[in-house]
Amino acid sequence: MDLFDFLGFFKKKEPASGSVAKDRLKLVLVHDRTNCSTQVLEMLKGDIIKVISNYMEIDEDELDINITETKSEDNSGTVPVLYANIPIKSMRRNSGGN
Amino acid sequence: MSEVIVITSGKGGVGKTTTTANIGCGLAMSGKKVALVDADIGLRNLDVVMGLENRIVYDLVDVVEGNCKLKQALIKDKRYSGLYLLPAAQTRDKDAVSPEQMQKLCENLKEEEFDYIIIDCPAGIEQGFKNAIAGADRALVVTTPEVSAVRDADRIIGLLEANELNNPSLILNRLRIDMVEKGEMMSIDDVTEILAVDIIGVVPDDEAIVIQTNKGEPAVTVETSKAGQAYRNITRRILGEDVPLMELKNEETFIDKLKKLFHR
């Protein structure tokens, strides 16, 4: 064991590339299987911003919309979900379009 | 009863042709009458992998266009009785044949009393793929434990199911058990969990494949080859036997251990 290995011992260990591959693959397949391209996702994002902006001011830079997967209710496997994290800056006074 | 099996993968270079040759040869070694069909028109290779490249007179397109009889185009393998190859045309392209013509060809091969008709599908999802699967009763999907290959396999499984070729079986090719043990390669379980299909075989990465392909003799004939053993097992599973997956272990020799000790 040389010095480099010795120092590496104290560092946080990187995950093995096999599990990195598996995680990347899972994410790619969620997109492939739902037939949802980045383009579609961008369009969806734009529409969501438009609708929500009618009611509240949101932080568009911090907005995170993605498709991931989650365990299905009957635990038989995974299902795709639309995940959205939309930080609100402030509520609009005249919400509801009055 | 004859069965048409298509060997497909989506991605190129994962071992479709090698798999086709080995399974075909394996089935013939078990006494079955087998026709291997190279559907990769324009990029024929099954002939060289089988070592039959010098004996081609007519090809698949000649048969479809009626330039010769089916029997004239079938090359009989001299090593294994019952093994025949229908080579692809080299100077034509995928559009030279239609799915309907391939279906008809498969019907005609069935009438020749072949037990198994194994079709080597070209890479991709276009015309060549559509032709290759048109007459198939069953599909085997070949993949390697890499992100790109598994992704393409997933797409192919979807397309097969859309074409009513349900429940395809998976062959995981070129597995490096030493890397899996170190966590540097996806495992059999990782791949089957993601693709959610039945696995019919795992073929370890093996130098014998390269050596045998150099010679034009499928590795399935080599008693001592691990990959050969894997293909023999796949053959038996196709024949309906219940054979457990081969136990793959990293065989570290004493010399390897010594080397490791000194290379630190």
Side-chain angles (χ1 to χ4, degrees), chain B residues 13 31 89 114 132 146 172 178 181 212 216-218 220 232 237-238 257:
Chain B
F114 283 104
E146 288 163 80
L172 183 57
D178 55 328
E181 281 174 0
Q212 292 308 115
E217 281 169 32
V220 70
R232 286 192 289 279
R237 289 182 199 115
I238 289 173
K257 279 180 186 159

Short mmCIF file of all heavy atoms in Angstrom, two decimals, chain B residues 13 31 89 114 132 146 172 178 181 212 216-218 220 232 237-238 257:
data_model
loop_
_atom_site.label_atom_id
_atom_site.label_comp_id
_atom_site.label_asym_id
_atom_site.label_seq_id
_atom_site.Cartn_x
_atom_site.Cartn_y
_atom_site.Cartn_z
N GLY B 13 -22.49 -5.10 -32.20
CA GLY B 13 -21.25 -5.51 -31.54
C GLY B 13 -21.39 -6.17 -30.18
O GLY B 13 -20.43 -6.27 -29.45
N GLY B 31 -28.38 -33.10 -32.42
CA GLY B 31 -29.10 -33.94 -33.38
C GLY B 31 -30.29 -33.28 -34.06
O GLY B 31 -31.08 -33.94 -34.72
N ALA B 89 -27.18 -11.53 -48.71
CA ALA B 89 -26.53 -10.93 -49.89
C ALA B 89 -25.58 -9.86 -49.40
O ALA B 89 -25.85 -9.19 -48.41
CB ALA B 89 -27.59 -10.33 -50.79
N PHE B 114 -37.10 -28.31 -40.97
CA PHE B 114 -36.09 -27.91 -39.99
C PHE B 114 -36.74 -27.88 -38.61
O PHE B 114 -37.89 -27.47 -38.47
CB PHE B 114 -35.55 -26.51 -40.32
CG PHE B 114 -34.57 -26.52 -41.46
CD1 PHE B 114 -34.95 -26.08 -42.73
CD2 PHE B 114 -33.28 -26.98 -41.27
CE1 PHE B 114 -34.06 -26.10 -43.77
CE2 PHE B 114 -32.37 -27.00 -42.31
CZ PHE B 114 -32.76 -26.56 -43.58
N ALA B 132 -36.24 -9.14 -40.06
CA ALA B 132 -35.74 -10.29 -39.31
C ALA B 132 -36.77 -10.86 -38.35
O ALA B 132 -36.82 -12.07 -38.13
CB ALA B 132 -34.46 -9.91 -38.57
N GLU B 146 -23.48 -3.33 -20.11
CA GLU B 146 -23.10 -1.93 -20.28
C GLU B 146 -24.36 -1.09 -20.42
O GLU B 146 -25.37 -1.57 -20.94
CB GLU B 146 -22.28 -1.75 -21.56
CG GLU B 146 -20.89 -2.30 -21.48
CD GLU B 146 -20.32 -2.46 -22.88
OE1 GLU B 146 -19.87 -1.47 -23.43
OE2 GLU B 146 -20.35 -3.58 -23.38
N LEU B 172 -27.20 -12.63 -21.48
CA LEU B 172 -26.24 -11.64 -21.01
C LEU B 172 -24.85 -12.10 -21.43
O LEU B 172 -24.35 -13.11 -20.95
CB LEU B 172 -26.35 -11.48 -19.49
CG LEU B 172 -25.46 -10.41 -18.85
CD1 LEU B 172 -25.70 -9.04 -19.46
CD2 LEU B 172 -25.69 -10.35 -17.35
N ASP B 178 -14.89 -11.19 -12.53
CA ASP B 178 -13.92 -10.52 -11.64
C ASP B 178 -14.31 -9.06 -11.43
O ASP B 178 -14.21 -8.52 -10.33
CB ASP B 178 -12.50 -10.64 -12.21
CG ASP B 178 -12.40 -10.09 -13.64
OD1 ASP B 178 -13.38 -10.20 -14.40
OD2 ASP B 178 -11.34 -9.56 -14.00
N GLU B 181 -17.46 -8.83 -9.19
CA GLU B 181 -17.11 -9.04 -7.78
C GLU B 181 -16.51 -7.79 -7.15
O GLU B 181 -16.68 -7.54 -5.97
CB GLU B 181 -16.12 -10.23 -7.66
CG GLU B 181 -16.84 -11.56 -7.75
CD GLU B 181 -15.90 -12.75 -7.77
OE1 GLU B 181 -14.67 -12.55 -7.72
OE2 GLU B 181 -16.40 -13.89 -7.85
N GLN B 212 -11.86 -18.99 -31.56
CA GLN B 212 -12.72 -19.82 -32.39
C GLN B 212 -13.28 -19.05 -33.58
O GLN B 212 -13.45 -19.60 -34.66
CB GLN B 212 -13.87 -20.41 -31.55
CG GLN B 212 -13.42 -21.42 -30.51
CD GLN B 212 -12.56 -22.53 -31.10
OE1 GLN B 212 -11.39 -22.65 -30.77
NE2 GLN B 212 -13.14 -23.30 -32.00
N GLY B 216 -13.16 -19.84 -37.48
CA GLY B 216 -14.43 -20.14 -38.12
C GLY B 216 -15.10 -21.40 -37.58
O GLY B 216 -15.77 -22.11 -38.31
N GLU B 217 -14.87 -21.65 -36.30
CA GLU B 217 -15.51 -22.79 -35.63
C GLU B 217 -16.13 -22.31 -34.33
O GLU B 217 -15.40 -21.88 -33.44
CB GLU B 217 -14.46 -23.86 -35.26
CG GLU B 217 -14.01 -24.73 -36.38
CD GLU B 217 -12.79 -25.55 -35.97
OE1 GLU B 217 -12.69 -25.90 -34.78
OE2 GLU B 217 -11.95 -25.79 -36.83
N PRO B 218 -17.44 -22.38 -34.19
CA PRO B 218 -18.08 -21.86 -32.98
C PRO B 218 -17.53 -22.49 -31.68
O PRO B 218 -17.21 -23.67 -31.64
CB PRO B 218 -19.55 -22.21 -33.18
CG PRO B 218 -19.71 -22.23 -34.67
CD PRO B 218 -18.43 -22.79 -35.20
N VAL B 220 -18.89 -23.31 -29.03
CA VAL B 220 -19.76 -24.31 -28.39
C VAL B 220 -19.17 -25.72 -28.55
O VAL B 220 -19.45 -26.62 -27.75
CB VAL B 220 -21.20 -24.21 -28.98
CG1 VAL B 220 -21.26 -24.68 -30.42
CG2 VAL B 220 -22.21 -24.95 -28.12
N ARG B 232 -23.63 -24.29 -24.59
CA ARG B 232 -24.22 -25.64 -24.51
C ARG B 232 -25.42 -25.64 -23.57
O ARG B 232 -26.44 -26.26 -23.85
CB ARG B 232 -23.16 -26.66 -24.06
CG ARG B 232 -22.14 -27.00 -25.15
CD ARG B 232 -21.29 -28.20 -24.79
NE ARG B 232 -20.34 -27.95 -23.73
CZ ARG B 232 -19.14 -27.34 -23.90
NH1 ARG B 232 -18.78 -26.96 -25.10
NH2 ARG B 232 -18.34 -27.14 -22.88
N ARG B 237 -31.45 -25.42 -22.72
CA ARG B 237 -32.64 -24.70 -22.25
C ARG B 237 -33.62 -24.48 -23.39
O ARG B 237 -34.83 -24.56 -23.20
CB ARG B 237 -32.25 -23.36 -21.61
CG ARG B 237 -31.55 -23.54 -20.28
CD ARG B 237 -31.20 -22.22 -19.60
NE ARG B 237 -30.17 -22.46 -18.61
CZ ARG B 237 -28.94 -21.97 -18.66
NH1 ARG B 237 -28.57 -21.17 -19.66
NH2 ARG B 237 -28.06 -22.27 -17.73
N ILE B 238 -33.08 -24.18 -24.59
CA ILE B 238 -33.96 -24.01 -25.75
C ILE B 238 -34.70 -25.32 -26.03
O ILE B 238 -35.87 -25.33 -26.39
CB ILE B 238 -33.15 -23.55 -26.99
CG1 ILE B 238 -32.69 -22.10 -26.80
CG2 ILE B 238 -33.99 -23.68 -28.28
CD1 ILE B 238 -31.74 -21.60 -27.86
N LYS B 257 -2.32 -14.34 -7.11
CA LYS B 257 -2.26 -13.82 -5.75
C LYS B 257 -0.88 -13.24 -5.45
O LYS B 257 -0.78 -12.16 -4.86
CB LYS B 257 -2.58 -14.94 -4.75
CG LYS B 257 -4.07 -15.18 -4.62
CD LYS B 257 -4.35 -16.28 -3.62
CE LYS B 257 -5.83 -16.59 -3.62
NZ LYS B 257 -6.13 -17.90 -3.08
#
